[in-house]
């Protein structure tokens, strides 16, 4: 390392390294005045005191150095001393003094002629100014300052400087919520430029190893922790955990307690994120393994937070932050275990009660209430107040929450941190909301909202609008509540889609943070006195909820979809089963025609949400086996479901035509065709389509005179198949029968590789894609896969393949058929995976099966389906005709069993 780079590294270890770790708040130190010495000696000795966290002594020496350099007329080194002085003031949270010193340093440097040394010191001073700006909550200014520092280091060809300032930029982008950009900048610092796509993990591993070999250990710990943090924020949790473990091992090697504690805190946050993911998966799927995984990760995070809090460091705020995270998770985990205890005998929520009580008392007696004004002090106090509100409500908790929130508000106002002020006002309003002081709660909420809107911080605005809606509703101001909820959802959609664009990780827990707003709004709209406008709005909100859940599942947003009732081929009716907390609501929309305006009918069957869901689950369990008797095990629940969903609407429905069902994810496993009115299956009367996102990628009908198909399938035991999957022996017949009907290209067995599939998609204008291979739909996107010969293709990769096609070909995919796929057994929301594949494919329509059907009967069904299409029959009608043939075919009565025909559903457009 050159002398210049060694000097540069000292500056970064002063500014960057101590910046990224949590700034400590020290007890007052009586400085021992060092003897008078030269200015250069004062600079060096000040660094020693600073590294030892004796900031008062460092301040004394650097002041002395600045004065001596001024006397000597040495402007360059006077600026350096002032820059260092600002750092020490920042450590003591003397923000005004810190700002005065760094401003003076930069002003002095501006008077000097260009030189290498001047540029180096200027970049270092910019780093220190950015640090101050971020500490005060001015992330945009910090980002601009650090970008300027990066440019200066690039001009100097100083690799260490560039790397350090890129880490700083990532910190500012993270604070601004630009997580994807923060990830890209962090990887750029490691000389990886792949737009945060970690599909090629070897590239990241190699870059990390190179960085570890070329950098000083202390600097490496900071860089690895920075990378681990942003990887967590963009949803790369396993990679984040691996990187943070490496940083922790290195922090132990250099025997740095503060770095160990800070890295453990980051690791705990990553483990918490994995816990939340598995908890969401359990609540979506009810698969026991997801529940058990979530419990393991929660306990791992609790243990890691505890380690971070107990390491003996000179920092006050670092253990406080770890304790706050530990307490929040204790309460959250206990509350979840309480809900599990009804069915999970291993859940013991009482085990955490004493820990929670002890942790609350520890924090009440901690320095938390007396922290110097700073951004971290504000958010620590708000975090504690918000955590106290989750405890059973009693006077001490309310009083303490009020005190800490008021203290945070005072500090935010003192530092002129408007965002923090909005968060403090909103939290204060929530406290009054919980105490049913509606007037003060509404007034404070409006103040918080006003600040959020003035700052254009939509992630806060939607929360305060939601809060305002709840408060209006409690005061029986229905129209005001409706307006607030509607505006909140509009803002939330913008926020959510922006986050999905920049951050595919979980920034919102859909089940905790998004779905409740929609559900509460639907509860308000669907009151007994709901008018036609309320019912129309309820259909729109129901549609928006389904699309929001699909976007959350896929971690991407869709803005080019067309509402299902805005096309030239409207269905006979659009049906919205809406499962609310305690009841089922059914809305039926009859689209506008030349003879009548749009109509919306509402039905509220007498069934609880729990009974409806259980009946649906029972029916699905019986349909997987053709040996189950129809009359005793299948028809009774199918008739119950029909009665609840459609019996009351019989007189309002058209006599024939296509019914489109907009299904909540809890209902998407329902094979609608099997609903039974005690005489006939529903599909015997109507054509049926499912709108899994309520909106369509495009509205183009399938034209058999111009279609061309890509047929791909496997009839042997493929290399990619896990042991449990059998060969599909009838696939050859299925594909060749379709090939005789549809002009098509065949990929069979070893030809059906991921690469060949991609090349065919890109090079040919296929309008129909038919895949006869195993696949599984799951509520976990990582487990939603389609098997090619050589490897399984997850839904995300499948979407990428089809997106590559769209870049080279304009012809839309009119029909995607997945003839041997199935929904994951026992997963109540597994059809999310089916919907995800359909939406990712951007296909007009998708035909797929909800369970694995005999491949021999599937081959017959598919052959008949394509023959119908070849005659120009619309897709929903073609599928319905084939299902009717199975039901009424005297030549093969065994196929009358719903196992053989009810599994197949049509999602998307029906024409």
């Amino acid at each position: 390392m050159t002398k210049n780079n060694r000097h540069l590294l000292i500056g970064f270890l002063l500014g960057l390294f101590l910046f990224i770790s949590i700034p400590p708040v020290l007890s007052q130190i009586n400085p021992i005045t060092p003897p008078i010495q030269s200015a250069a000696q004062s600079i060096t000795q000040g660094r020693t005191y600073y590294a030892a966290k004796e900031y008062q002594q460092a301040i004394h020496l650097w002041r002395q150095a600045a004065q001596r350099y001024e006397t000597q007329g040495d402007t360059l080194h006077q600026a350096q001393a002032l820059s260092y002085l600002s750092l020490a003031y920042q450590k003591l949270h003397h923000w005004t003094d810190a700002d005065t010193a760094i401003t003076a340093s930069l002003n002095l440097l501006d008077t000097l002629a260009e030189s290498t040394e001047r540029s180096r010191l200027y970049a270092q001073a910019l780093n220190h100014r950015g640090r101050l700006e971020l500490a005060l909550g001015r992330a945009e200014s910090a980002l601009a300052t650090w970008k300027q520092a990066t440019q200066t280091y690039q001009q100097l060809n100083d690799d260490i400087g560039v790397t350090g300032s890129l880490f700083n930029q990532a910190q500012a982008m993270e604070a601004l919520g630009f997580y994807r950009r923060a990830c890209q900048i962090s990887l750029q610092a490691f000389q990886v430029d792949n737009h945060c796509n970690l599909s090629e993990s070897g590239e990241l591993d190699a870059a990390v190893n190179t960085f570890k070999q070329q950098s000083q250990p202390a600097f490496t710990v900071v860089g690895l922790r920075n990378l681990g943090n942003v990887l967590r924020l963009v949803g790369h949790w396993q990679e984040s955990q691996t990187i943070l473990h490496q940083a922790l091992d290195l922090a132990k090697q250099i025997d740095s307690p503060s770095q160990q504690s800070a890295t453990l805190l980051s690791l705990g946050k990553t483990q918490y994120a994995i816990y939340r993911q598995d908890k969401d998966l359990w609540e979506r799927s009810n698969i026991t393994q997801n529940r058990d995984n979530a419990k393991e990760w929660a306990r791992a995070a609790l243990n890691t937070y505890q380690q971070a809090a107990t390491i003996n460091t000179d920092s006050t705020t670092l253990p406080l932050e770890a304790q706050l995270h530990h307490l929040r998770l204790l309460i959250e985990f206990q509350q979840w275990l309480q809900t599990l205890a009804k069915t999970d005998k291993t859940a013991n929520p009482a085990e955490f009660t004493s820990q929670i009580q002890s942790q609350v008392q520890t924090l009440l007696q901690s320095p938390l209430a007396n922290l110097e004004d700073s951004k971290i002090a504000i958010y620590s106090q708000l975090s504690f107040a918000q955590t106290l509100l989750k405890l059973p409500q009693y006077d001490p908790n309310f009083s303490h929450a009020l005190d800490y929130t008021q203290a945070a508000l005072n500090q935010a106002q003192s530092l002129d941190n408007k965002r923090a002020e909005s968060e403090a006002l909103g939290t204060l309003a929530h406290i009054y909301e919980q105490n049913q002081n509606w007037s003060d709660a509404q007034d404070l909420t409006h103040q918080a909202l006003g600040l959020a809107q003035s700052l254009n911080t939509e992630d806060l605005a939607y929360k305060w609008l939601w809060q305002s809606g709840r408060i209006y509703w409690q005061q029986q101001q229905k129209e005001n509540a409706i307006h607030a909820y509607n505006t909140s959802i509009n803002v939330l959609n913008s926020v959510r889609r922006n986050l999905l664009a920049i951050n595919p990780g979980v920034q919102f827990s859909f089940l905790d943070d998004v779905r409740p707003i929609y559900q509460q709004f639907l509860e308000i709209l669907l009151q007994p006195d709901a008018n036609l406008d309320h019912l129309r709005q309820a259909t729109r909100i129901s549609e928006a909820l389904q699309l929001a859940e699909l976007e959350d599942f896929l971690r991407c947003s869709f803005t080019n979809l067309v509402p299902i009732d805005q096309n030239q081929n409207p269905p006979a009716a659009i049906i919205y089963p809406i499962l609310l907390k305690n009841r089922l609501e059914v809305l039926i929309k009859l689209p506008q025609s030349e003879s009548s305006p749009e109509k919306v009918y509402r039905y509220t069957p007498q069934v609880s949400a729990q009974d409806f869901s259980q009946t649906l689950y029972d029916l699905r369990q019986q349909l997987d086996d053709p040996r189950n008797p129809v009359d005793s095990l299948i028809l009774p629940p199918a008739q119950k479901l029909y009665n609840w969903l459609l019996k009351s609407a019989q007189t309002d429905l058209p006599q024939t035509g296509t019914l489109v069902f907009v299904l909540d994810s809890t209902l998407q496993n329902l094979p609608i065709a099997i609903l039974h009115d005690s005489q006939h299956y529903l599909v015997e009367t109507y054509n049926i389509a499912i709108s899994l996102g309520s909106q369509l990628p495009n509205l183009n009908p399938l034209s058999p005179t111009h279609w061309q198909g890509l047929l791909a399938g496997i009839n042997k035991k493929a290399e990619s198949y896990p042991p449990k999957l059998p060969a599909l022996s009838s696939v050859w017949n299925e594909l060749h029968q379709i090939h005789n009907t549809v002009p098509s290209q065949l990929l069979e067995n070893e030809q059906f590789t991921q690469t060949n599939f991609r090349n065919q998609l890109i090079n040919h204008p296929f309008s129909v894609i038919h895949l006869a291979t195993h696949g599984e739909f799951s509520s976990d996107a990582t487990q939603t896969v389609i098997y090619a010969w050589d490897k399984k293709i997850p839904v995300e990769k499948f979407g990428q393949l089809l997106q590559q096609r769209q870049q080279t070909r304009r012809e839309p995919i009119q029909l995607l058929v997945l003839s041997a796929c199935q929904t994951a057994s026992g997963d109540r929301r597994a059809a999310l995976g089916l919907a995800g594949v359909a939406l990712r494919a951007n296909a007009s329509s998708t035909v797929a099966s909800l369970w694995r059907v005999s491949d021999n009967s599937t081959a017959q069904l598919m052959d008949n389906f394509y023959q119908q299409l070849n005659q120009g029959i619309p897709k929903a009608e073609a599928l319905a005709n084939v299902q009717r043939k199975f039901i009424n075919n005297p030549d093969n009565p065994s196929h009358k069993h719903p196992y053989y025909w009810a599994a197949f559903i049509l999602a998307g457009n029906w024409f």
Side-chain angles (χ1 to χ4, degrees):
M1 183 181 293
T2 65
K3 180 179 179 181
N4 186 52
N5 278 344
R6 282 198 300 271
H7 195 186
L8 191 59
L9 182 59
I10 291 172
F12 271 104
L13 293 181
L14 282 170
L16 171 69
F17 165 60
L18 291 174
F19 154 57
I20 296 180
S21 59
I22 305 299
V25 178
L26 301 180
S27 57
Q28 291 297 317
I29 301 173
N30 295 321
I32 301 171
T33 304
I36 300 297
Q37 52 191 332
S38 72
Q41 289 174 324
S42 294
I43 290 287
T44 302
Q45 187 65 27
R47 287 177 182 152
T48 302
Y49 280 123
Y50 185 96
K53 298 182 173 60
E54 296 178 6
Y55 303 119
Q56 294 285 11
Q57 287 90 333
I59 286 171
H60 176 86
L61 287 162
W62 286 336
R63 267 190 196 152
Q64 185 181 89
Q67 291 167 357
R68 284 182 171 273
Y69 282 131
E70 183 180 16
T71 301
Q72 297 167 13
D74 188 342
T75 302
L76 184 71
H77 290 98
Q78 180 189 355
Q80 180 189 43
L82 288 169
S83 179
Y84 285 164
L85 188 59
S86 176
L87 270 185
Y89 280 133
Q90 290 177 46
K91 285 297 181 182
L92 296 178
H93 294 180
H94 296 174
W95 307 118
T96 302
D97 290 335
D99 184 59
T100 300
I102 197 63
T103 301
S105 174
L106 288 166
N107 288 341
L108 287 171
L109 290 168
D110 282 336
T111 67
L112 298 175
E114 287 290 338
S115 69
T116 299
E117 186 69 2
R118 181 260 180 199
S119 294
R120 182 184 64 77
L121 290 179
Y122 197 82
Q124 189 179 89
L126 288 170
N127 272 333
H128 298 170
R129 171 171 280 286
R131 178 187 187 281
L132 173 63
E133 289 167 335
L134 192 63
L136 294 175
R138 301 167 190 164
E140 288 185 0
S141 297
L143 178 59
T145 299
W146 282 327
K147 282 183 176 179
Q148 188 179 355
T150 303
Q151 291 170 358
T152 305
Y153 284 126
Q154 288 170 337
Q155 293 167 4
L156 291 167
N157 294 318
D158 283 322
D159 293 339
I160 292 176
V162 170
T163 299
S165 56
L166 287 174
F167 286 156
N168 282 340
Q169 282 190 49
Q171 292 280 321
M173 288 178 178
E174 179 184 331
L176 289 167
F178 300 149
Y179 304 116
R180 165 85 37 190
R181 288 169 59 190
C183 181
Q184 291 171 354
I185 289 291
S186 293
L187 289 174
Q188 186 180 336
F190 282 82
Q191 298 183 1
V192 175
D193 187 15
N194 64 5
H195 303 289
C196 210
N197 178 7
L198 301 188
S199 57
E200 301 296 333
S201 58
E203 184 181 9
L204 177 63
D205 293 341
V208 168
N209 288 333
T210 300
F211 180 73
K212 289 163 67 176
Q213 293 168 9
Q214 295 180 351
S215 301
Q216 291 291 324
F219 189 68
T220 302
V221 172
V222 173
L224 291 176
R225 187 166 68 249
N226 176 286
L227 179 60
N229 285 337
V230 295
L231 289 175
R232 175 182 69 252
L233 290 170
V234 295
H236 295 306
W237 297 302
Q238 295 301 331
E239 293 85 350
S240 170
Q241 185 176 221
T242 299
I243 296 293
L244 289 171
H245 274 297
Q246 292 181 40
L248 181 60
D249 291 342
L250 191 54
K252 290 176 180 177
Q253 289 176 25
I254 64 176
D255 194 25
S256 172
S258 63
Q259 290 304 306
Q260 290 179 50
S261 184
T263 305
L264 282 165
L265 178 59
S266 292
L267 180 60
K269 292 177 181 179
T270 295
Q271 292 167 336
Y272 172 77
I274 300 174
Y275 151 70
R276 288 293 297 271
Q277 178 203 32
D278 285 336
K279 176 174 173 284
D280 271 10
L281 286 174
W282 152 252
E283 291 175 350
R284 277 181 171 150
S285 68
N286 276 30
I287 294 177
T288 304
Q289 186 61 52
N290 291 331
R291 180 199 68 194
D292 294 343
N293 288 344
K295 289 195 289 187
E296 288 180 14
W297 283 111
R299 293 183 187 279
L302 286 170
N303 181 58
T304 303
Y305 286 144
Q306 188 68 30
Q307 290 182 56
T310 54
I311 290 179
N312 186 19
T313 71
D314 294 330
S315 170
T316 299
T317 54
L318 190 53
L320 279 177
E321 188 175 3
Q323 289 168 20
L324 287 166
H325 281 280
H326 187 259
L327 176 60
R328 182 182 71 170
L329 179 51
L330 276 174
I331 295 170
E332 182 180 321
F333 190 33
Q334 183 188 54
Q335 291 174 346
W336 184 48
L337 290 177
Q338 287 170 347
T339 66
L340 293 180
K342 299 174 184 177
T343 56
D344 179 7
K345 295 181 179 179
T346 66
N348 179 24
E351 68 177 293
F352 296 115
T353 301
S354 61
Q355 289 186 55
I356 291 171
Q357 293 171 345
S358 174
Q359 190 86 337
V360 168
Q361 290 305 312
T362 297
L363 284 164
L364 287 172
Q365 296 166 13
S366 72
L368 183 60
N370 301 312
L371 294 177
E372 295 281 349
D373 291 1
S374 67
K375 179 183 174 183
I376 192 168
I378 295 168
Y379 286 103
S380 295
Q381 291 171 25
L382 283 178
S383 175
F384 188 38
Q386 292 160 358
T387 301
L388 287 172
L389 294 176
K390 296 177 182 177
L391 293 168
Q393 191 59 248
Y394 64 97
D395 287 343
N397 282 343
F398 177 83
S399 177
H400 292 314
L402 199 61
D403 290 343
Y404 279 99
T405 305
Q406 187 63 56
L409 176 61
N410 293 341
Q411 287 198 16
Q413 291 171 337
S414 173
L415 294 176
D416 196 30
N417 187 330
K418 297 299 184 184
R419 180 186 173 94
E421 185 179 350
S422 175
E423 294 193 58
L425 285 166
T427 302
L428 205 57
H430 182 53
I431 295 172
Y432 284 118
E433 178 191 5
Q434 288 205 336
N435 205 43
Q436 299 184 13
N437 184 343
W438 308 121
S439 177
D440 288 343
Q442 193 65 271
D443 180 59
L444 289 164
T445 300
H446 286 166
Q447 291 182 50
L449 176 61
L451 276 174
Q453 290 173 331
S454 70
L455 298 169
N456 199 29
T457 51
E458 293 184 327
D459 60 314
L460 292 182
Y462 96 88
K463 290 197 294 187
W464 307 146
L465 284 161
W466 179 16
Q467 187 162 280
S468 180
R470 295 195 307 266
I471 296 167
Y472 276 132
W473 181 242
Q474 289 297 330
Q475 298 178 90
Q476 299 182 348
Q477 298 182 38
K478 183 176 180 178
E479 291 307 316
N480 284 338
I482 287 174
H483 177 74
Y485 268 97
N486 191 57
T487 309
S488 176
I489 285 175
N490 290 338
V491 176
L492 172 60
N493 284 338
S494 173
V495 174
R496 193 176 46 76
R497 283 177 174 156
N498 286 337
L499 282 174
L500 287 168
I502 61 178
N503 168 31
V506 176
Q507 289 309 300
F508 289 108
S509 165
F510 182 83
L511 296 177
D512 292 340
D513 302 323
V514 177
R515 189 181 184 91
I517 304 181
Y518 288 89
Q519 295 249 297
Q520 289 171 19
F521 192 21
L522 286 169
E523 290 275 3
I524 293 172
L525 290 170
L526 295 175
Q527 290 296 300
D529 62 347
N531 59 35
L532 181 58
D533 286 341
H534 294 157
L535 296 181
R536 286 173 173 160
Q537 193 164 12
T539 65
R540 291 193 295 271
I541 295 302
S542 178
E543 292 175 358
L545 172 58
Q546 314 325 321
L547 183 59
E549 185 162 16
L550 274 171
E551 290 181 331
D552 174 79
F553 171 80
L554 292 169
R555 304 292 175 218
C556 61
S557 60
F558 295 90
T559 57
N560 61 337
L561 303 181
V562 182
I564 56 179
D565 54 358
Q566 293 183 12
N567 65 79
Q568 301 301 315
N569 301 282
I574 306 172
I575 301 171
Y576 302 82
I578 301 172
L579 203 59
L580 297 177
K581 187 175 182 181
N582 297 311
R583 70 186 194 276
L584 174 70
E585 294 276 358
V586 180
L587 301 180
I588 296 182
K589 182 192 291 185
L590 303 184
Q592 182 176 350
S593 66
E594 293 181 0
S595 59
S596 64
E598 177 188 85
K599 297 179 181 178
V600 181
Y601 297 99
R602 174 194 183 183
Y603 311 92
T604 307
Q606 298 302 306
V607 59
S608 69
Q610 181 178 356
D611 287 346
F612 185 91
S613 297
Q614 188 60 49
T615 302
L616 168 57
Y617 183 74
D618 292 342
L619 173 62
R620 279 292 286 108
Q621 295 298 102
Q622 300 301 330
L623 286 168
D624 288 350
D625 190 340
R627 295 168 297 182
N628 288 336
V630 174
D631 290 342
S632 60
L633 293 181
I634 294 175
L635 287 185
Q639 288 168 357
K640 276 187 180 181
L641 292 168
Y642 174 87
N643 290 340
W644 289 329
L645 287 169
L646 293 175
K647 185 175 182 179
S648 298
Q650 277 181 323
T651 57
D652 297 318
L653 286 173
Q655 296 301 305
T656 60
T658 299
L659 303 183
V660 175
F661 287 79
V662 179
L663 297 180
D664 180 282
S665 65
T666 57
L667 307 180
Q668 287 172 0
N669 280 356
L670 169 62
I672 293 291
I674 204 175
L675 297 179
H676 200 275
D677 65 1
S678 77
Q679 294 184 352
H680 301 287
Y681 293 109
L682 188 65
V683 74
E684 293 183 83
T685 306
Y686 296 100
N687 311 320
I688 296 167
I690 308 299
S691 179
L692 296 173
S694 80
Q695 301 183 64
L696 305 174
N698 64 69
L699 301 175
N700 299 313
L702 181 63
S703 173
T705 58
H706 296 97
W707 65 354
Q708 184 176 358
L710 173 61
L711 314 180
I714 302 169
N715 73 339
K716 299 190 291 188
K717 185 78 172 179
E719 293 175 359
S720 63
Y721 285 2
K724 67 177 182 178
L725 292 181
L728 298 168
S729 57
S730 295
V731 161
W732 192 93
N733 289 334
E734 177 181 336
L735 294 181
H736 282 265
Q737 287 170 354
I738 298 169
H739 186 53
N740 292 333
T741 304
V742 180
S744 53
Q745 173 71 40
L746 273 171
L747 291 177
E748 295 181 274
N749 295 328
E750 292 90 342
Q751 296 174 331
F752 180 21
T753 64
Q754 179 177 295
T755 299
N756 285 346
F757 181 59
R758 171 189 174 277
N759 291 339
Q760 288 292 332
L761 284 175
I762 290 175
N763 295 323
H764 300 282
F766 298 116
S767 53
V768 175
I769 298 174
H770 183 105
L771 303 181
T773 180
H774 283 295
E776 187 163 75
F777 309 125
S778 167
S779 61
D780 180 354
T782 64
Q783 300 301 314
T784 293
V785 297
I786 295 168
Y787 289 94
W789 176 265
D790 56 337
K791 62 181 68 175
K792 61 183 179 182
I793 308 175
V795 61
E796 181 179 4
K797 184 67 175 179
F798 188 73
Q800 290 172 359
L801 293 175
L802 292 166
Q803 285 173 353
Q804 291 173 5
R805 177 187 189 273
Q806 292 168 18
Q807 294 171 6
T808 59
R809 312 213 65 86
R810 293 186 178 181
E811 302 86 1
I813 297 171
Q814 299 294 346
L815 179 63
L816 169 68
V817 180
L818 306 165
S819 74
C821 299
Q822 65 168 355
T823 51
S825 177
D827 187 340
R828 297 193 182 210
R829 279 189 168 92
L832 267 176
L834 190 162
V837 170
L839 206 56
R840 267 295 195 184
N842 197 36
S844 298
S845 309
T846 300
V847 172
S849 55
L850 294 175
W851 57 87
R852 187 176 298 138
V853 185
S854 157
D855 57 323
N856 181 51
S857 65
T858 297
Q860 294 180 40
L861 185 144
M862 289 298 166
D863 181 32
N864 290 334
F865 176 58
Y866 280 100
Q867 288 182 27
Q868 295 270 322
L869 293 177
N870 205 31
Q871 298 172 32
I873 296 173
K875 287 172 279 190
E877 185 178 349
L879 180 60
N881 286 343
V882 175
Q883 290 173 315
R884 292 166 193 149
K885 183 175 180 180
F886 268 58
I887 295 170
N888 300 305
N889 186 357
D891 297 332
N892 196 345
S894 65
H895 284 177
K896 185 174 183 178
H897 195 290
Y899 163 83
Y900 293 100
W901 54 266
F904 296 94
I905 64 171
L906 173 72
N909 85 35
W910 48 93
F911 40 87

